[in-house]
Amino acid sequence: MLGLSLGRQVGPREVPVEALRNILVLMEPGAEAQPAFDAALLLARQFGARLELLMSDYQDLHAAYFSSPSATVQEFHDAVMSAHRAVLEKYTKRAASGVPAICEALWGTPFHEIVLGRVAATRPDLVVKHSVHHNRIERTLFTGSDWHLIRECPVPLLLVKAPDRLVGQRILVCVDPLHAHDKPAVLDHRLLRTAALLAGPLEGEVHALHVFSVPTPVAVVGDAYIAAAAVPPADATVAASTVAFRQLLAVHAVPAERAHLSVGAPARDILAEARKLDAGLVIMGAVSRGRLDRWFVGNTAEAVLDRLSCNVWVEKPRAA
């Protein structure tokens, strides 16, 4: 990684940073601990936000599965939802000392559609969800609904893997100043503003990373596609990337010693830099290039999300 000497540059007009006012917390039915709540409560206390606790559940209930033959399916449903509401009320009371909180338990499926409907209705500034990371296999156990939220949630999404690592940690922002991956220019500025917004109250240290991607050519041998040797980029192209990176960070006053530039594979180098810095939070942008390409949304983000052991903040371009 290379430290860059940054000079003050004139950048685009800054749009005021929105504060965190309303945080939607996705609570887990039947879980003994609620890491998403812990992280959201910490943020709410630091930013003066309110919490909206949402627990969504659906079970294919049938009276034959239960021991009480006199109970109806509706009674089973009511008992499940009553238990969920009791849990939510307990957490609402826990937040009550200085943090306003409301809660709701909803019955329905699929989970991601319930959440996206709630986001459309209440317009939170942030959605917080717990994601379990297993160090042994270096994987996060994302469900299908998790991936839907990563791709489709229109507001920032905080994936909590280690809630105790949000305060006093390094914050790594992944940017793409040349927009080689079809990421709008304004998104990089938003990611850096988000990092600055979080860094103060969370006592964080903002670092920025740009990985200049070296494409791997593909050769055709018979009916098979094989990766050919990567061709190093031209010096002029790397120089242009360096200048763009320098100008971007100058706008946000990121010090030279916290600016990191590499030439290689974005997914691999993001993981390496996050580990090297021991980052507590990685902030990334993700984009969609249309319905036909939906499985390739934010391909760099998707390649690293399940391998990062730290917390991850994902943002997308906002609709005009």
Side-chain angles (χ1 to χ4, degrees), residues 1 172 209 260 269-278:
M1 299 299 168
L172 179 61
L209 169 66
H260 311 279
D269 290 1
I270 289 170
L271 288 167
E273 190 64 26
R275 293 183 182 124
K276 177 182 175 182
L277 292 173
D278 192 25

Side-chain angles (χ1 to χ4, degrees), residues 1 174-177 180-181 209-214 241 245 260-271 273 300:
M1 299 299 168
C174 304
V175 298
D176 181 20
H181 301 97
L209 169 66
H210 169 48
V211 181
F212 184 91
S213 179
V214 179
S241 179
F245 186 45
H260 311 279
L261 173 67
S262 69
V263 178
R268 180 197 64 201
D269 290 1
I270 289 170
L271 288 167
E273 190 64 26
T300 297

Side-chain angles (χ1 to χ4, degrees), residues 133-149:
H133 184 77
H134 287 241
N135 291 329
R136 186 175 63 84
I137 57 175
E138 292 191 323
R139 282 289 189 275
T140 299
L141 299 183
F142 287 133
T143 65
S145 291
D146 291 337
W147 285 116
H148 277 293
L149 291 179

Side-chain angles (χ1 to χ4, degrees), residues 128-240:
V128 182
K129 187 183 186 305
H130 177 220
S131 297
V132 180
H133 184 77
H134 287 241
N135 291 329
R136 186 175 63 84
I137 57 175
E138 292 191 323
R139 282 289 189 275
T140 299
L141 299 183
F142 287 133
T143 65
S145 291
D146 291 337
W147 285 116
H148 277 293
L149 291 179
I150 290 167
R151 296 182 179 103
E152 300 172 30
C153 184
V155 302
L157 176 66
L158 174 59
L159 300 169
V160 177
K161 303 185 184 185
D164 58 334
R165 300 197 61 222
L166 284 173
V167 176
Q169 303 290 315
R170 294 183 179 94
I171 300 172
L172 179 61
V173 187
C174 304
V175 298
D176 181 20
L178 290 183
H179 325 301
H181 301 97
D182 299 328
K183 190 167 61 176
V186 70
L187 182 56
D188 280 339
H189 289 281
R190 280 191 43 224
L191 297 177
L192 287 163
R193 288 198 300 270
T194 293
L197 172 71
L198 295 171
L202 297 181
E203 302 175 1
E205 182 179 276
V206 176
H207 289 247
L209 169 66
H210 169 48
V211 181
F212 184 91
S213 179
V214 179
T216 301
V218 176
V220 179
V221 179
D223 294 329
Y225 290 84
I226 61 172
V231 178
D235 291 343
T237 306
V238 176

Side-chain angles (χ1 to χ4, degrees), residues 142 147 150 266-267 270 284-287 296-308 312 314-315:
F142 287 133
W147 285 116
I150 290 167
I270 289 170
M284 305 186 67
V287 294
F296 301 98
V297 170
N299 53 352
T300 297
E302 294 188 7
V304 301
L305 279 170
D306 61 352
R307 288 189 175 272
L308 285 167
V312 183
V314 180
E315 289 201 35

Side-chain angles (χ1 to χ4, degrees), residues 43 85 123 158 170 182 184 202 266 288 295:
L43 291 172
R85 282 189 290 269
R123 299 181 181 274
L158 174 59
R170 294 183 179 94
D182 299 328
L202 297 181
S288 173
W295 291 106

